[in-house]
Amino acid sequence: MPSGPSTAARTPFVLLVVLLLGGGLITLLLLNSALNQGSFQLRELKDRTTELTDEEQALQRDVDADAAPDALERRARELGMVPGGSPAFLGPDGKVLGEPTVAASPKPSPKPSSKPSSKPARTPAGAPDRTGDPAPSGTARTPAPGTSTAPRSTAPAPKTTAPTPTTSGR
């Protein structure tokens, strides 16, 4: 029996099966690599989401702490605000309901015991003024009519041998 023609007819079939199996394995390998890469990216994004959530919660705690009534009162006092008196209301007919009272003025700060120095305090050019706006270099700020040109301070002055001059206008 000749074995030549039967093996020759089987060879293309065996090659086709080997190529299909090899192609399937390579495709499976590429698909598995893509899934692994996606899982790494997903893990990184989950970690980033956790970090951002923690940061958001910390910021929300800061906002809640600053919005607390005692913190608002402290900041208002630092700005020189005082609690208001009892309010009065206008009714729909124009009638005043309640008795309005004036808010009490804040207690004056203690006056320095030694003489003020003869030199006024100066702000360097380009340094921010008390409102937070930096002065453009080379330009001078002119005060509004009826305002004082003396520097105002919201923080307590540091203790020095010569106190800074103040003008209260009173």
Side-chain angles (χ1 to χ4, degrees):
M1 296 224 181
S3 63
S6 65
T7 50
R10 233 185 260 175
T11 304
F13 176 72
V14 170
L15 284 175
L16 178 66
V17 169
V18 168
L19 285 175
L20 286 175
L21 286 175
L25 286 175
I26 290 174
T27 304
L28 187 61
L29 178 66
L30 292 175
L31 182 63
N32 194 14
S33 297
L35 288 174
N36 281 339
Q37 184 179 5
S39 69
F40 286 133
Q41 288 176 347
L42 180 64
R43 183 68 196 160
E44 288 174 3
L45 291 174
K46 283 183 178 180
D47 290 343
R48 181 71 176 142
T49 301
T50 303
E51 289 173 11
L52 290 175
T53 302
D54 292 344
E55 184 178 348
E56 178 189 19
Q57 289 174 352
L59 290 172
Q60 187 63 45
R61 279 192 305 270
D62 292 344
V63 167
D64 291 342
D66 287 343
D70 58 337
L72 289 175
E73 180 184 8
R74 179 183 41 81
R75 289 186 54 212
R77 289 196 187 276
E78 288 173 359
L79 293 172
M81 300 174 88
V82 295
S86 58
F89 301 96
L90 287 177
D93 57 352
K95 185 177 178 183
V96 177
L97 304 172
E99 194 66 34
T101 59
V102 178
S105 62
K107 296 178 182 177
S109 60
K111 294 184 179 180
S113 60
S114 61
K115 291 188 205 175
S117 67
S118 61
K119 292 183 180 180
R122 299 183 127 203
T123 305
D129 65 0
R130 298 292 178 210
T131 61
D133 296 332
S137 58
T139 61
R141 291 191 181 265
T142 56
T147 60
S148 173
T149 59
R152 294 179 294 166
S153 174
T154 57
K159 293 187 178 185
T160 59
T161 56
T164 58
T166 60
T167 57
S168 64
R170 293 185 186 180

